[in-house]
Amino acid sequence: MASSKTATVGRRAAELREQLDYHLYRYHVLDEPEISDADYDRLYDELVALEDAHPELITRDSPTQRVGAPPSDKFQKVEHPTPMGSLEKVTTDEALEKWHEDVCKRLGTSEGIVYVTEPKIDGLSINLIYENGAFVRGATRGDGVRGEDVTPNLRTIKAISMRVIGADDGVPSLLEVRGEVYLPLSGFNALNERLVAEGKKPTPNPRNAAAGSLRQKDSTITAQRPLSIWIHGLGVRDGLRVDGHWEALNWLREHGFRTNPYAERHETVASVAQACHAWEKKRIELDYEIDGLVIKVDSFDHQRRLGALHGRPRWARAFKWAPMTAQTKLERIHIRVGRTGALNPWAQLAPVEVGGVTVSTATLHNEEDINRKDIREGDEVIVQRAGDVIPQVVGPVLPHAKGTRAFKMPANCPLCGVEIVKPEGEAMHRCPNRACPSRGLESLINWVQAAADIEGVGEQSVRRLWDLGLVRSLPELYRLTKEQLMEVEGYGEISASNAIASIDASKQVPFHRVLFGLNIPDVGWVTAQNLARHFENIDRLIDAAQEDIEEVDGIGPDRAESIAEWFSDDANRALVGELRELGLRFEIGDELRPVEGPLTGKIYVITGTLENYSRDEAAAALEAKGAKVGNSVSGKTTGLVVGEEPGSSKLTKARKLEVPLLDEAALEELLRG
DNA sequence: TAGCCTCGAGTTCA
DNA sequence: CTCGAGGCTA
């Protein structure tokens, strides 16, 4: 008895759902309601009552369940006239090719299929409604069926047209226009600078910043954010005669909508694949983030015949690249003490794929930076590899896990136990102990890999030699014997004698490299060269007064003082004497003579990877012609040599300063001419 | 004295 | 590559 009643109720519920869906469709999709709103509400209320009494009858797609997300009192939920579907993604050429084959099979032809690609903007999908040519409402995508009405905020975005231009040539009475709201990177950076200046926490990425800006309750705040939009499609468009997506984009553009200029038309799938790869590299040139390309079958007739599966159109795909950001757990914050005694905190991360490589460590710079970003051990954090290669921890995915606490530098050096100091106004904490093992070890590593660049002895070997107590100083490295080296893990008869030979050969490195390798504070590559050029030998330098040192290019009172102080230390003087006796070079050769050539006075900067030269080779070739090669683009830069996968910051700066760009062919031309 | 420029230092992964 | 900071210049 009871069961048959339940069955009746179940049938009625299903009937109501079907009717409600049908009337919603009549109303929203076709704009031709068959019943009044009051009648609709009566049906709806009946279903709600049934579902309240029999919760087991509630289905996920019930019209009553469309308010899925937690209710917000800020924004009204609105239903989209046509649902905003999501795109199935592909990540490989093979998957793309497979999709193409499916398209051909379903259309029964491989002829005449045209694709359109557009950058896939990492922003917020928005649906805009125009009635009789006037903007009346805009909503976020939400769950695809209902979104949040953010009309007042959208009105503040100047890139959104408030009316359809050229309405006289037959604009549909109801027009649904889809687009992606985003925050340009320049605006994102400016916003974060402002937030930091106001003592607030910066936003982790442009997408979050855009979302936050658009969901401001107070639209005057939204108005201050430089949001923009790319329009990429049509929803409802009754009576509009366009036959394909490409034509639709053109129509939109002509009627006042901001469509992306990098939309491309492709006659073959191979051409589509090519675009997907080309844009993966070109994307950093854009002032907004894209995470792939959207690919659509152009013809609306084809689109209709292909249809959709589970709300995902068969006629479109998102080609997505490996993400440049990822979320992972920050397991521990470690401290490393550098060759100058600076304490460097670094993050040990749960390994995670970012931009195609597995990242497990990242530098955290200093205490201040960690706390400004509010990063804690145990947090879930966002890791990013942006235009550059080096991963950074952007910030925590709030809230903090239980039991975490703000990061604090240790009071004592983790290696030697001496009390840590932090000079007023400086960012870095330091271990002041000159005899701290970290300094000796790190400076030896710096010697073998940078200053002298000894082949066959790398960081690992130096660490092992140090641990075994065989080499604890530079002179000890030069007194190392083959027999001793063979005790070290990883060395055999041959590799040991080769390594000894390279150590011996490294005694010939030029004076300026020796100076660099001594680890004098404030003396890097350039200053070492300038010192060598100015004083010519160690005898003049070692006893030079601070005022004499100030004469050198790029050295002012601060640096001169620290250099003079270093040379007045007995231990350092002894080290110099010992190295000299061992046969290292302490006077200038002819390697620093300036080269006169056709490019004298010109300054070039190189970015990206060149095909026929390494960066060092290209730099050497330019220098051989008299040019200087710098590291950063400035107003004085003659030209920026751009290879494959260039760094974004140099490129951006060069554009801004109108520094000429040279490709590899132009470089070769320059070197010949 | 401000703002540009250059330098030093530490940096990841395969 | 990016940051911070010292040096240089207008």
Side-chain angles (χ1 to χ4, degrees):
Chain A
M1 193 58 181
S3 74
S4 105
K5 193 187 167 206
T6 309
T8 314
V9 170
R11 260 200 309 278
R12 180 61 185 154
E15 205 174 273
L16 283 168
R17 276 198 292 271
E18 201 181 321
Q19 285 184 15
L20 285 165
D21 279 341
Y22 173 72
H23 291 304
L24 279 177
Y25 169 79
R26 297 293 308 190
Y27 181 84
H28 288 292
V29 181
L30 302 180
D31 200 21
E32 289 168 3
E34 280 179 0
I35 58 173
S36 70
D37 287 2
D39 287 342
Y40 176 87
D41 288 345
R42 216 164 303 153
L43 292 172
Y44 187 87
D45 291 344
E46 188 186 343
L47 179 60
V48 170
L50 278 181
E51 288 179 343
D52 278 351
H54 304 273
E56 74 278 5
L57 292 176
I58 298 174
T59 59
R60 235 188 94 248
D61 61 351
S62 170
T64 61
Q65 299 303 303
R66 283 183 172 166
V67 200
S72 151
D73 54 353
K74 290 181 188 170
F75 301 104
Q76 285 228 309
K77 289 268 179 182
V78 289
E79 193 143 349
H80 305 306
T82 45
M84 299 175 75
S86 56
L87 294 182
E88 197 152 317
K89 67 172 185 179
V90 293
T91 55
T92 62
D93 286 2
E94 291 71 40
L96 179 64
E97 180 64 40
K98 212 171 143 233
W99 173 58
H100 171 64
E101 280 165 17
D102 183 59
V103 167
C104 294
K105 209 175 83 196
R106 285 175 188 276
L107 293 176
T109 174
S110 56
E111 299 286 299
I113 300 172
V114 172
Y115 293 101
V116 176
T117 58
E118 288 167 85
K120 185 173 183 301
I121 317 295
D122 198 9
L124 289 116
S125 295
I126 290 293
N127 199 28
L128 304 172
I129 312 282
Y130 291 81
E131 282 175 8
N132 301 317
F135 173 66
V136 293
R137 200 178 74 220
T140 61
R141 179 177 177 277
D143 60 5
V145 178
R146 281 160 185 261
E148 287 178 324
D149 185 336
V150 287
T151 309
N153 290 343
L154 289 171
R155 283 187 194 278
T156 68
I157 301 175
K158 297 195 180 72
I160 297 179
S161 177
M162 289 296 108
R163 39 177 222 97
V164 183
I165 293 170
D168 42 313
D169 68 346
V171 167
S173 54
L174 177 66
L175 181 68
E176 199 181 10
V177 172
R178 268 94 198 251
E180 196 84 359
V181 167
Y182 68 96
L183 189 63
L185 292 176
S186 47
F188 168 69
N189 294 332
L191 173 65
N192 271 352
E193 272 171 31
R194 214 178 62 213
L195 288 174
V196 169
E198 289 168 3
K200 294 176 190 155
K201 207 180 304 166
T203 52
N205 60 55
R207 196 184 177 283
N208 282 17
S213 302
L214 199 60
R215 298 186 78 260
Q216 289 289 330
K217 199 177 175 184
D218 179 356
S219 63
T220 59
I221 295 178
T222 311
Q224 293 162 17
R225 308 278 168 87
L227 293 170
S228 191
I229 193 167
W230 291 119
I231 300 294
H232 54 59
L234 292 165
V236 169
R237 53 171 186 281
D238 299 328
L240 183 64
R241 293 247 345 244
V242 284
D243 296 329
H245 183 60
W246 185 254
E247 209 184 317
L249 289 175
N250 286 327
W251 185 91
L252 283 163
R253 193 173 301 129
E254 283 163 16
H255 289 78
F257 295 98
R258 190 161 181 268
T259 58
N260 192 283
Y262 302 111
E264 292 166 358
R265 212 170 159 275
H266 303 273
E267 310 263 346
T268 65
V269 71
S271 164
V272 171
Q274 212 171 18
C276 290
H277 297 299
W279 274 104
E280 183 166 16
K281 286 168 188 162
K282 274 195 282 184
R283 65 171 145 170
I284 55 165
E285 298 170 28
L286 301 174
D287 190 32
Y288 43 91
E289 286 196 339
I290 64 175
D291 57 359
L293 291 190
V294 174
I295 310 158
K296 290 175 182 164
V297 172
D298 184 46
S299 156
F300 285 163
D301 178 50
H302 285 169
Q303 291 187 7
R304 188 185 47 76
R305 282 158 61 193
L306 287 162
L309 180 69
H310 308 311
R312 291 159 169 237
R314 288 202 186 92
W315 43 267
R317 286 294 183 271
F319 193 103
K320 283 226 200 181
W321 303 307
M324 297 307 255
T325 68
Q327 190 179 319
T328 190
K329 187 175 177 189
L330 196 166
E331 292 180 335
R332 274 204 65 187
I333 296 177
H334 298 270
I335 309 287
R336 179 173 164 154
V337 187
R339 70 186 168 100
T340 60
L343 264 63
N344 270 106
W346 57 276
Q348 181 194 330
L349 305 163
V352 66
E353 252 319 266
V354 193
V357 300
T358 307
V359 171
S360 52
T361 52
T363 177
L364 294 170
H365 303 112
N366 54 57
E367 184 184 70
E368 203 186 320
D369 198 48
I370 293 172
N371 290 323
R372 187 172 55 223
K373 290 177 179 163
D374 198 20
I375 298 164
R376 301 178 180 187
E377 276 186 347
D379 276 348
E380 281 290 315
V381 292
I382 294 170
V383 179
Q384 154 179 294
R385 278 176 83 227
D388 57 339
V389 196
I390 296 166
Q392 345 168 239
V393 176
V394 180
V397 184
L398 296 170
H400 294 296
K402 254 193 211 151
T404 58
R405 36 173 57 187
F407 173 76
K408 194 107 189 62
M409 273 289 182
N412 298 85
C413 175
L415 279 116
C416 69
V418 167
E419 200 176 327
I420 295 303
V421 297
K422 181 173 180 272
E424 191 66 36
E426 276 181 31
M428 288 291 196
H429 288 69
R430 259 167 219 292
C431 165
N433 179 10
R434 291 194 182 197
C436 178
S438 63
R439 297 214 196 183
L441 176 58
E442 298 291 335
S443 63
L444 272 170
I445 292 169
N446 185 54
W447 180 268
V448 302
Q449 21 176 73
D453 192 14
I454 299 173
E455 222 173 296
V457 187
E459 176 172 344
Q460 280 313 315
S461 318
V462 173
R463 284 186 188 280
R464 285 177 188 144
L465 285 163
W466 180 277
D467 289 344
L468 292 168
L470 288 172
V471 175
R472 293 272 167 100
S473 70
L474 221 35
E476 282 177 11
L477 176 70
Y478 284 97
R479 288 196 209 100
L480 188 69
T481 63
K482 184 177 136 193
E483 288 68 34
Q484 286 175 313
L485 191 53
M486 282 173 64
E487 294 170 28
V488 180
E489 195 192 330
Y491 284 97
E493 176 95 37
I494 295 171
S495 56
S497 46
N498 285 345
I500 294 292
S502 355
I503 291 171
D504 200 53
S506 74
K507 288 177 181 170
Q508 297 309 314
V509 298
F511 181 36
H512 64 272
R513 295 183 75 139
V514 176
L515 271 181
F516 168 66
L518 288 174
N519 280 308
I520 305 165
D522 295 328
V523 178
W525 278 113
V526 177
T527 304
Q529 285 183 46
N530 291 338
L531 281 170
R533 207 177 272 134
H534 188 268
F535 288 100
E536 298 191 335
N537 63 51
I538 195 73
D539 295 317
R540 289 202 216 157
L541 174 57
I542 205 165
D543 289 318
Q546 188 184 322
E547 301 81 75
D548 301 329
I549 302 176
E550 272 183 57
E551 297 295 307
V552 179
D553 270 358
I555 298 182
D558 287 31
R559 287 179 182 170
E561 189 188 346
S562 95
I563 294 166
E565 206 221 326
W566 193 90
F567 279 112
S568 67
D569 185 289
D570 283 342
N572 293 334
R573 293 173 82 96
L575 172 69
V576 168
E578 219 175 332
L579 288 173
R580 206 176 193 183
E581 245 161 63
L582 283 162
L584 278 90
R585 292 181 49 191
F586 279 93
E587 59 186 70
I588 196 169
D590 26 314
E591 66 280 338
L592 288 180
R593 289 260 158 72
V595 184
E596 282 292 322
L599 299 180
T600 297
K602 309 236 187 264
I603 304 170
Y604 292 93
V605 176
I606 306 172
T607 181
T609 317
L610 299 168
E611 220 169 284
N612 298 321
Y613 306 82
S614 75
R615 276 162 75 140
D616 285 347
E617 284 165 358
L622 285 165
E623 278 164 357
K625 299 255 176 201
K628 268 184 148 186
V629 177
N631 279 315
S632 60
V633 177
S634 73
K636 292 184 180 173
T637 308
T638 315
L640 178 66
V641 178
V642 185
E644 287 289 305
E645 296 190 57
S648 54
S649 59
K650 285 180 186 171
L651 210 55
T652 316
K653 196 149 183 212
R655 289 231 177 81
K656 203 170 93 192
L657 298 171
E658 294 182 347
V659 169
L661 304 180
L662 292 89
D663 59 12
E664 188 157 357
L667 172 69
E668 285 174 335
E669 180 70 22
L670 194 68
L671 293 172
R672 270 197 304 272

